[in-house]
Amino acid sequence: MLRLPEAHRDLFKKPFGTLYRDIRELLPQLEGRAVYTVGDVVTHNLLDAGIVPDIAIIDGYTMRLPCTHSPLLQERRVTAKNAPGTITDELVDAIDEMVRDPPGVIFVDGEEDLAVIPLVLAAPYGAAILYGQPGEGAVLRLVDASAKREAASMLRVFVRE
């Protein structure tokens, strides 16, 4: 398991991609791409816009409060444990499995906030990853070599336990 030290938490507050206030603004960039979401609200909003993500990573909460509109996708569902402030091997394995054989939902028992990092590393080039930026909107990160380098760099501040 990897744990994010308290001293480095601020590094993960700025968007890891382009922030959009309204999810409808980013929809044209999703055409022809594999689409992955991290978070209940962004997944719900994408479904409301008529797009079903290939992979959704959700935990049933938003901003640590129960999410009353968690998406109920009809795809294969895998559960992974992941405590707040960590990236567990179980979560990484679930992401790797789902990326190899989409579509599906990864339901996180714990917190999914940091799942975007291993998801970028596992996702194919050209995929679109969306996650929520609390109180601000949705972040879109297109997977390319730069995204993979940045995600790998982010992992280096974690401590293996």
Side-chain angles (χ1 to χ4, degrees), residues 69-147:
H69 50 263
S70 288
L72 298 174
L73 303 175
Q74 299 301 313
E75 305 299 342
R76 180 170 55 107
R77 184 174 168 135
V78 173
T79 300
K81 290 185 178 168
N82 195 75
T86 70
I87 298 174
T88 61
D89 295 337
E90 188 175 334
L91 177 61
V92 172
D93 291 345
I95 290 169
D96 289 344
E97 174 189 333
M98 200 62 74
V99 167
R100 278 193 309 276
D101 187 23
V105 175
I106 300 171
F107 186 83
V108 176
D109 179 4
E111 190 174 282
E112 93 288 72
D113 294 5
L114 296 171
V116 70
I117 301 166
L119 183 56
V120 166
L121 293 171
Y125 287 99
I129 298 177
L130 286 84
Y131 70 93
Q133 188 77 13
E136 296 188 50
V139 176
L140 171 64
R141 184 64 188 239
L142 300 179
V143 178
D144 58 11
S146 172

Side-chain angles (χ1 to χ4, degrees), residues 35-55:
V35 177
Y36 307 145
T37 58
V38 177
D40 295 73
V41 173
V42 75
T43 302
H44 174 81
N45 290 342
L46 193 62
L47 288 168
D48 271 359
I51 297 175
V52 178
D54 296 280
I55 298 171

Side-chain angles (χ1 to χ4, degrees), residues 14-25:
K14 76 173 191 125
F16 177 44
T18 304
L19 176 65
Y20 292 85
R21 302 279 178 213
D22 186 331
I23 202 163
R24 292 172 294 198
E25 296 170 4

